[in-house]
Amino acid sequence: MRRLALLAAVPLLFAAACGSGGGEVTAKTGTSTGGVQVAGDFGKKPQVTFPKGKPPTTSSSQTIKPGQGTQVKDGDSVVANLTAYSWDGKANAASGSTYDDGAPQLIKVDPKLPSVVYKAFQDSKPGGRFLAVVAKDSLTPDQVEQAKSQGADTSIASVYVVDVMGVPTVKAAHGTATDPGMSGVKLENPGGDQAPKLTTKTDATAPKGLVAKTVIKGAGPVVKSGQTILVHYTGKIWGSDTEFDSSWGRGEPVMFPIGVGKVIKGWDQSLVGVPVGSRVLVSIPPALGYGKAGSGDKIKGTDTLVFVVDVLGAY
């Protein structure tokens, strides 16, 4: 699940990146009356034009398109599209864009972000676009060292155009849970925002093919191939009850494109068509998982994988 270089390390996408749309806005940069120009519609890759001369040494931000609804607050996880540039006063080269990647990112709004970006998020609302110019003055000494360790040049400014696509509030699938009827697998559904408890310790033979059972049927739109979905999940190995991965354990849902070969085949084939808000139990044979090579130290090439997946959003 590829992320722009600086966001991958939390402060780093922003330290050195790997109303109405269609308008043009000039953002204040330092004390200069000139600035960066941003054109294009919200939800599409922006066009960015830089002024002549040296880049600023002072960070700044500006709202380009106001959003609607509840304002983003500290601690929120925001679904956002980002386009990044390195402002060196010469090439001003593009560093990356989630629009090119075809998938937005989930960003935690907290002090680990450079200060100017941290504040800009809290001044935004869903459906809004902002511009952030990140100079060295927005980075803590630790952030500067972290950026340098990843090859970033913190002596030049970075520019980010950020589209706030949404702020997910649902933390788990809610509704009446039904028995999935998967022999050998036990699933407890405590309700509310609590994580489901998956048990795969069994002597029963694993299914040979892909099996997907809806435990809670959501009321949202069905997931379409090519969308980016937001999920919480736990993954275990059939028979041993070995947990090899859990977003619940990390305390943060994850996002990834579905139906386009960016994740294992078993996920692509079982999650497309599922209504948002659903909880799904999935048994994935090796051929639709990691194949004969397995993955890491825990997953062998003969292991059947079992996931419980809460589909929280689709974008």
Side-chain angles (χ1 to χ4, degrees):
M1 301 169 192
R2 181 177 175 273
R3 306 187 74 188
L4 290 179
L6 283 176
L7 272 187
V10 185
L12 290 189
L13 172 81
F14 295 103
C18 45
S20 59
E24 191 171 273
V25 174
T26 298
K28 297 178 181 178
T29 54
T31 58
S32 172
T33 56
V36 180
Q37 293 183 328
V38 180
D41 295 330
F42 171 87
K44 296 182 180 179
K45 187 178 178 179
Q47 295 82 53
V48 180
T49 306
F50 292 86
K52 294 181 179 180
K54 295 181 178 180
T57 57
T58 303
S59 301
S60 63
S61 67
Q62 181 165 324
T63 298
I64 293 176
K65 179 184 182 297
Q68 296 181 337
T70 303
Q71 192 159 313
V72 176
K73 63 182 182 299
D74 182 28
D76 280 346
S77 292
V78 178
V79 178
N81 273 304
L82 309 104
T83 301
Y85 289 82
S86 294
W87 189 359
D88 61 2
K90 299 175 184 178
N92 302 324
S95 303
S97 176
T98 57
Y99 286 113
D100 293 335
D101 292 344
Q105 295 183 1
L106 189 67
I107 302 167
K108 184 70 174 291
V109 178
D110 61 24
K112 293 179 181 179
L113 294 171
S115 57
V116 65
V117 178
Y118 179 49
K119 183 179 185 304
F121 266 115
Q122 293 177 77
D123 290 337
S124 65
K125 297 178 181 180
R129 169 177 283 182
F130 68 82
L131 172 71
V133 178
V134 181
K136 194 173 181 178
D137 65 324
S138 270
L139 304 177
T140 66
D142 286 345
Q143 288 171 339
V144 170
E145 290 305 312
Q146 190 176 9
K148 287 180 177 179
S149 71
Q150 295 198 0
D153 184 354
T154 58
S155 67
I156 61 176
S158 295
V159 172
Y160 302 92
V161 181
V162 180
D163 286 354
V164 178
M165 310 305 293
V167 183
T169 56
V170 178
K171 298 179 180 179
H174 291 178
T176 302
T178 60
D179 183 356
M182 190 179 292
S183 179
V185 174
K186 182 180 179 182
L187 183 64
E188 297 177 28
N189 302 277
D193 290 336
Q194 297 183 69
K197 184 178 179 181
L198 176 65
T199 304
T200 61
K201 182 68 174 177
T202 180
D203 293 327
T205 302
K208 292 183 178 180
L210 178 68
V211 179
K213 300 285 189 177
T214 299
V215 179
I216 297 173
K217 186 175 182 179
V222 299
V223 171
K224 298 178 181 179
S225 180
Q227 286 188 307
T228 297
I229 59 173
L230 177 71
V231 306
H232 251 320
Y233 69 92
T234 294
K236 288 191 172 185
I237 295 172
W238 185 287
S240 69
D241 203 41
T242 299
E243 181 177 294
F244 56 86
D245 196 10
S246 175
S247 64
W248 290 101
R250 294 190 296 274
E252 190 77 54
V254 298
M255 295 187 71
F256 50 83
I258 196 69
V260 290
K262 298 294 185 181
V263 292
I264 58 176
K265 292 179 181 179
W267 278 36
D268 275 343
Q269 294 180 18
S270 62
L271 297 181
V272 171
V274 171
V276 171
S278 297
R279 174 169 294 164
V280 185
L281 182 65
V282 187
S283 174
I284 301 176
L288 298 180
Y290 293 98
K292 294 180 180 179
S295 178
D297 297 331
K298 293 184 178 180
I299 301 175
K300 298 182 178 65
T302 56
D303 286 336
T304 292
L305 310 180
V306 183
F307 290 93
V308 55
V309 185
D310 283 13
V311 182
L312 305 179
Y315 302 86

